[in-house]
Amino acid sequence: MGRYVARRLLLTIPVLLGASFLIFAMVYALPGDPIRALGGDRPISPAVVAELRERFHLNDPLYVQYWEYLKGLFSGDLGTDFRGRPVLDTIERTLPVTIKLALVAIVFEAVIGLVAGVLAGIRRNSFFDNLVLVSTTLVVSIPILVLAFFAQLLFGLKLGWFPIAGTNEGLYSYLLPGLVLASGSLAYVARLTRTSLAENLRADYVRTARAKGLPNRTVIVRHTLRNSLIPVVTYIGADIGTLLGGAIVTETVFNLPGIGREVFNSIRSQEGAVVVGIVTLMVFFFIFFNLVVDVLYAVLDPRIRYD
Amino acid sequence: MTDQQQLDLRKDAVEAGTTTGLASPSVDVTKERQNSLWSDAWGDLRRNPFFWIGAVLGLAFLLMALVPQVFARGADPRSCDLGNSRALPSAQHWFGFDTQGCDYLANVVYGARNSLIIGVIAVLVILLLGVVVGALAGYYGGLTDGILARIADIFYALPLILGALVLLRVGPSTDIPVINSRGPGAVAIALALFGWMTAMRLVRSQVIAVKGSDYVAAARAMGASSRRILVRHILPNAVAPVLVYATITIGVIIAAEATLTYLGVGLQRPAISWGLQIEAGQDSIRTAPHLVLFPSLILTMTVMAFVMMGDALRDALDPRQRA
C-alpha cells in the first residue's frame, strides 16, 4: 500500500505540472496588452510600460516565464496580479466561499442521493423506483445554467424562500446554489446506489443471510448496503475535487465570491497570474481527492490490493 | 467476441488458407446472418419508452436544425419591429417577441442549427482523438501508453468548461485557424480538445482487455498486420461503449456550448444561439420571463433527447449494467 501511494504521488507531479503549464501557455497568449489596459484612458509613459513588462517577465520567452513562475510557486509565492495584489491573498479570500459551497453540495448529494437510491433499489419497479428513474433523467438533462436560473426564479423571486445572490445570510445563502451545484452528481449517486444495491441483493451471501432467517432489515442494512456503498462512497469522494473546480457557472449566476467566479472574472480581465494560480489549485484538488479515493477503495474493499 | 469478429477471423483464416494452397472453401463463409448483439439490442430498445421519448425529441431537434422555417410558422427571425418589444406570447406568436421585437419562436427554432453543428463536430473530433489515441496507447502499451495516458490525465484534470473558456478567450487574438474565428467551429474544437479523454480511456481499456485473447493471437499467427488486427478484430469491441458515450456526449456538448456562449466566449451576435438568448433575457426576467423560459426549455429538451437515447442504448447493449 505504501509503495502504491508513493508511486501515485510521483505520477501526480507530471500531471500537475502539465496542467498548470497548459493553462500557463494559453494564458500567455491572452489578447491585448494588460499593461495598457491598466492605465485605462490615460496613456502610460513608455518607460513605465517597459519597466512593468520587465517586472512581470512579459518580454521573456514562454518557458522562461514558466520557470520564473515555478520558482515562485515553490517558495509559496504565486505572483501578483497587475494591480500588485498577491494572488495568494485573492485565493485566501475566495477559497472559503467555494469550500463552503462544495461542502453543502456534498451533503445534499450524499443525503438525498443515498436515500432516493436505497429506497428505489429495495423496491425495484415500484412507483417510487420509476419516479427516481424519471426524475434523475430529468435532472441530468437540465444544464446547470438553466437550473440555476429557474431555482433563482422560483425559490428566490416567486416564493422568496432563499436569497438569490451573494453571501449575506451566512450558510443559509449557500443552500440554493449548493443544491443546484449538487444536482447532477446527486442524480448520479441515486442511480449508482440503486443499481449497486439491486445487484448485491441478488448475490449469494444475501440469500444465505435470508436463509439463516435474518430479518429483512438486517439483511439490507448490515449485509447488502455495506457492500453496495463502496462505489458510492468513492464516487462522492472523487466528486469533492470536481465540485471545487466546477463551481464556475453556479458561483457566477448566484454571485458568490468564490474561486470559480474569481477565475471567470480573471479570464475576462486577462489577469493571467490569478487564472494560473487558481486553476493549478483546482487541478491539485482534483488529483488529490482522486488519489484519496483510490486508496480508500482498497481500505473499503478487501478484495482490492494494489501491491 | 462478436459474430462480426468471428466472421473476420474466418475471413483471415480463409485468406491464409488460400494463399498457402490449402483447401479453398466452396462457399463464402463471410456471408452469413449478421450479429446477434445488435439485433438483441434493437429488440430491447424497441420496448423501452425512454428510448422512444428520446428519439422523438431528437428527431424534432434534428428537423428544427435542418428546416427551421417549417417550425417558425413563416416568421423571419431577423425581421423585427421595435413596437413589439418583449410582447408576451399570443395565439399568433406562440413564444412572444424579444427585446428587439423579433418573433421569438423563429429565433429559438433557428438556434437549433448552431447547437447541432457544434454538437456533431465536437463529438466527431472527440471520437477521432479518442479512438486513435486510445487504440495506440492500449495496443502498444509500455512507454507509448505511459506518455499518452499521462497526457490524457493532464487534460482530464482541467474542467471542460474552464479549459474551453480560457482557450476561447485567447483564441481570437491568435493566428490558429478555426480557433480564432469566434464561430461554431472554434467552440466545437475547444470543447473537443478538453473533452476527448473519456473516449480515449474507453477505447484504451477495451483494447487492453482483448489484446491478449486467443483470437487476436490467432489472427496474428495467420499473418494479419497490426493495423488489420486493431481495426477488424480489436476495435469492434469498443463500438458499443463508444456509441453510448458519443450519444450522451452530444447532449453534454450542446449544454456546454450554451454555457460558454452565455458566459460571453462562445458564439457572438449576430449568430442565433440559445446561450445568447438566455443571456439577453436574464435582464428582464421579472417583466418578460418568457425570454429566458423558452430557449431554456428547448435546450433542456434537446439535451434530454440525447441523454435518454444514450441511457436506453447502454441498457440495451450491456445487459450487466441493466438497471
Side-chain angles (χ1 to χ4, degrees), chain A residues 126-154:
Chain A
S126 65
F127 171 74
F128 187 78
D129 184 28
N130 282 311
L131 185 73
V132 167
L133 260 190
V134 172
S135 55
T136 48
T137 306
L138 199 71
V139 167
V140 166
S141 306
I142 306 178
I144 244 181
L145 176 69
V146 172
L147 202 63
F149 271 129
F150 284 92
Q152 273 183 332
L153 199 61
L154 182 65

Side-chain angles (χ1 to χ4, degrees), chain A residues 29 31 124 157 191 194 268, chain B residues 169-170 173 286 304 311 323:
Chain A
R124 288 289 301 276
L157 284 176
R191 284 192 164 197
R194 173 182 175 276
R268 279 209 303 202
Chain B
R169 176 69 177 86
V170 180
S173 67
R286 285 163 201 260
M304 202 187 311
D311 273 358

Side-chain angles (χ1 to χ4, degrees), chain A:
Chain A
M1 182 57 99
R3 272 181 58 198
Y4 171 75
V5 174
R7 209 174 69 94
R8 279 290 306 264
L9 276 174
L10 276 179
L11 278 179
T12 60
I13 294 173
V15 174
L16 199 58
L17 284 180
S20 87
F21 180 73
L22 189 66
I23 284 289
F24 194 91
M26 285 201 288
V27 169
Y28 178 75
L30 273 177
D33 188 341
I35 302 295
R36 293 211 182 280
L38 199 62
D41 291 335
R42 280 179 306 150
I44 308 178
S45 78
V48 175
V49 171
E51 157 66 19
L52 284 172
R53 290 194 74 86
E54 189 61 36
R55 191 193 302 168
F56 291 112
H57 303 287
L58 288 179
N59 295 324
D60 295 330
L62 180 60
Y63 63 91
V64 175
Q65 287 194 38
Y66 187 65
W67 181 241
E68 291 294 326
Y69 181 78
L70 275 188
K71 276 203 299 202
L73 196 66
F74 283 112
S75 55
D77 175 19
L78 291 174
T80 58
D81 61 17
F82 288 118
R83 286 171 207 283
R85 288 174 303 195
V87 175
L88 210 55
D89 287 3
T90 307
I91 291 179
E92 271 172 20
R93 182 165 46 83
T94 51
L95 187 60
V97 175
T98 304
I99 291 181
K100 274 184 226 160
L101 181 65
L103 284 181
V104 171
I106 290 289
V107 170
F108 272 123
E109 193 180 317
V111 174
I112 305 180
L114 274 181
V115 170
V118 168
L119 292 180
I122 293 175
R123 296 198 186 78
R124 288 289 301 276
N125 299 321
S126 65
F127 171 74
F128 187 78
D129 184 28
N130 282 311
L131 185 73
V132 167
L133 260 190
V134 172
S135 55
T136 48
T137 306
L138 199 71
V139 167
V140 166
S141 306
I142 306 178
I144 244 181
L145 176 69
V146 172
L147 202 63
F149 271 129
F150 284 92
Q152 273 183 332
L153 199 61
L154 182 65
F155 297 112
L157 284 176
K158 279 258 153 56
L159 297 171
W161 292 353
F162 298 97
I164 57 167
T167 53
N168 292 330
E169 293 182 38
L171 203 57
Y172 193 65
S173 28
Y174 289 96
L175 288 184
L176 197 56
L179 186 60
V180 168
L181 182 62
S183 61
S185 316
L186 191 159
Y188 190 75
V189 166
R191 284 192 164 197
L192 197 61
T193 312
R194 173 182 175 276
T195 319
S196 166
L197 190 65
E199 213 166 81
N200 275 319
L201 277 174
R202 287 198 299 257
D204 289 342
Y205 70 87
V206 173
R207 197 184 317 123
T208 311
R210 283 194 206 285
K212 281 196 298 188
L214 290 181
N216 197 29
R217 202 188 166 72
T218 317
V219 172
I220 289 174
V221 176
R222 296 274 301 275
H223 292 244
T224 324
L225 205 53
R226 197 181 266 187
N227 278 325
S228 310
L229 286 188
I230 293 172
V232 181
V233 168
T234 51
Y235 173 78
I236 293 177
D239 206 38
I240 301 177
T242 314
L243 288 179
L244 283 171
I248 298 173
V249 178
T250 318
E251 286 180 6
T252 305
V253 173
F254 283 97
N255 208 14
L256 301 177
I259 54 172
R261 198 191 66 161
E262 188 66 35
V263 79
F264 173 58
N265 288 337
S266 305
I267 291 171
R268 279 209 303 202
S269 58
Q270 309 170 24
E271 283 288 2
V274 185
V275 176
V276 178
I278 293 184
V279 172
T280 308
L281 189 70
M282 287 174 167
V283 170
F284 171 76
F285 281 138
F286 181 84
I287 295 174
F288 175 75
F289 282 106
N290 270 293
L291 177 65
V292 169
V293 157
D294 281 350
V295 173
L296 197 67
Y297 212 91
V299 174
L300 290 177
D301 190 339
R303 285 170 303 181
I304 293 174
R305 286 281 170 268
Y306 289 122
D307 289 327

Side-chain angles (χ1 to χ4, degrees), chain B residues 146-214:
Chain B
I147 292 173
L148 292 177
R150 282 300 86 66
I151 293 177
D153 282 351
I154 290 173
F155 279 88
Y156 203 71
L158 293 168
L160 172 70
I161 292 283
L162 185 66
L165 195 64
V166 176
L167 185 60
L168 287 171
R169 176 69 177 86
V170 180
S173 67
T174 62
D175 352 299
I176 310 164
V178 185
I179 291 291
N180 65 4
S181 69
R182 287 178 177 272
V187 181
I189 298 291
L191 284 169
L193 212 56
F194 290 95
W196 55 276
M197 298 76 62
T198 308
M200 177 268 189
R201 289 182 172 185
L202 277 177
V203 174
R204 174 175 173 270
S205 64
Q206 288 289 338
V207 171
I208 291 176
V210 297
K211 191 173 63 169
S213 46
D214 290 342

